[in-house]
Amino acid sequence: MTREKDRYHHGDLRAALLAAAEAVLTETGVEGFSLRAVAKRVGVSHAAPAHHFGDVQGVLTALAAEGFRRFLAAMQARQAAITGGDAEALLVASGLGYLDFAEASPALFRLMFSSVRPREETPELSAAARDAFGHLAADVARLRGVSPFEDSAAMEDVMAAWAMVHGVAELFISGRLKPMQTMTRAEREATVASLLKRSLARAPGGTGQR
Amino acid sequence: MTREKDRYHHGDLRAALLAAAEAVLTETGVEGFSLRAVAKRVGVSHAAPAHHFGDVQGVLTALAAEGFRRFLAAMQARQAAITGGDAEALLVASGLGYLDFAEASPALFRLMFSSVRPREETPELSAAARDAFGHLAADVARLRGVSPFEDSAAMEDVMAAWAMVHGVAELFISGRLKPMQTMTRAEREATVASLLKRSLARAPGGTGQR
DNA sequence: CGAGCATCCTGACGCTGTCAACATGATCTT
DNA sequence: AAGATCATGTTGACAGCGTCAGGATGCTCG
């Protein structure tokens, strides 16, 4: 079953390249990302990555896909940390996991959500993104007792919660949410929970859309 | 006082470069942005932009600053279009203007909010961004009758409304808000208004932060 | 043991941003 | 009016970039 180390010329170059790529991404952002810098960091020739990922877009696509998987894991981890929570508490936990990820890996977060470089149509990436979205949808389904895909009001709940937590995440890692930057961690989480609950408060009458 | 046209070699190269830069940005995104492509589009040598903007970051910074000014104008335009609206209707109008801008200039929107390339500390850029934020804060101040900078509950309202509309904008231009992509313009605006009103619904008890 | 193949390297191409040196033309001083 | 000065724009060079073609290396399996 082919141990990771001591085989081939390098070992497991693909994984090593991905790790180095994330490091480069973190240091330089998507805009300054360089394939040659990744190769140099691993100590391999500048053209080696092409054999595993095709081109630079391939590397960024694989990175984004792995990002979505870890993103989902961050939400699940927050949920696993609470014991006797109701459906709303579980949804709030997902939101906090959402923010955990964005805060821990802002460059990766932006690559996933605000970049045109990864190939969106790739099966691996679109599946990983769909799973992450599905997690939020499932949270709302549990809360409302109905699938968002069959109930437009529940779908509006999904959009509301998602947009709210995503907006907070984006603005926060951009340093534009000044009031939240000065809070303690506990204060911040309480505020985020409060904001998320707002997003679940259905307006009287709702949208009126089908 | 030095007319814009018919002087120097080109005329008003700075403005022409900015216009070309926005076109290139729209076509290629931040990641594929090229200073030489901008120069070529204007029909000028590849090093000409340096005299007006220093380097590529200077161009993107100026572009982002102009973006924030037009961003503010889009919010004001929506407000000017309604006649007898109350404070909440005015805030919703700002939100719709927010989305107008993001939808009309997604690449510029991302440059302003999700890129590390513009120099944030530049006076021109930070002032333009501050004005845009101030507009939202003023909307909330009118709605609540108190300045968000003196009332933490009102500041939470600002964060809520901002995060909500920003999240909607980001997810929408990324094509990730599927249910909203299939709506008519009127349906979409009604949904956004509904979501924005959610963000203004204070939870019973609030956050409890100072 | 040797064929085949996945893996990795070398060298080249045109592209990029930035810099230094030079040309041009408007403005200001004397 | 003439010359100096400076903003404006050009040219050429440099290293770094992504990508491709071709060659080297070493594992795997017949």
Side-chain angles (χ1 to χ4, degrees), chain A residues 1-8 10-13 15:
Chain A
M1 30 68 101
T2 66
R3 288 231 12 268
E4 300 288 333
K5 227 32 176 319
D6 70 309
R7 46 167 228 146
Y8 296 141
H10 174 275
D12 191 1
L13 183 55

Side-chain angles (χ1 to χ4, degrees), chain A residues 86-167:
Chain A
D86 58 358
E88 192 184 60
L90 285 171
L91 179 50
V92 168
S94 283
L96 292 176
Y98 202 112
L99 274 170
D100 286 341
F101 179 85
E103 193 181 355
S105 311
L108 192 49
F109 184 81
R110 281 178 162 169
L111 175 72
M112 292 155 51
F113 285 104
S114 312
S115 175
V116 295
R117 297 205 77 182
R119 287 193 196 86
E120 301 284 347
E121 68 283 4
T122 292
E124 184 192 8
L125 177 52
S126 57
R130 183 170 33 75
D131 289 349
F133 169 74
H135 177 80
L136 273 180
D139 281 347
V140 171
R142 178 174 41 223
L143 178 65
R144 299 302 189 201
V146 56
S147 166
F149 299 100
E150 298 168 358
D151 182 288
S152 69
M155 185 54 93
E156 188 171 309
D157 292 333
V158 173
M159 291 194 290
W162 195 12
M164 178 65 89
V165 67
H166 187 78

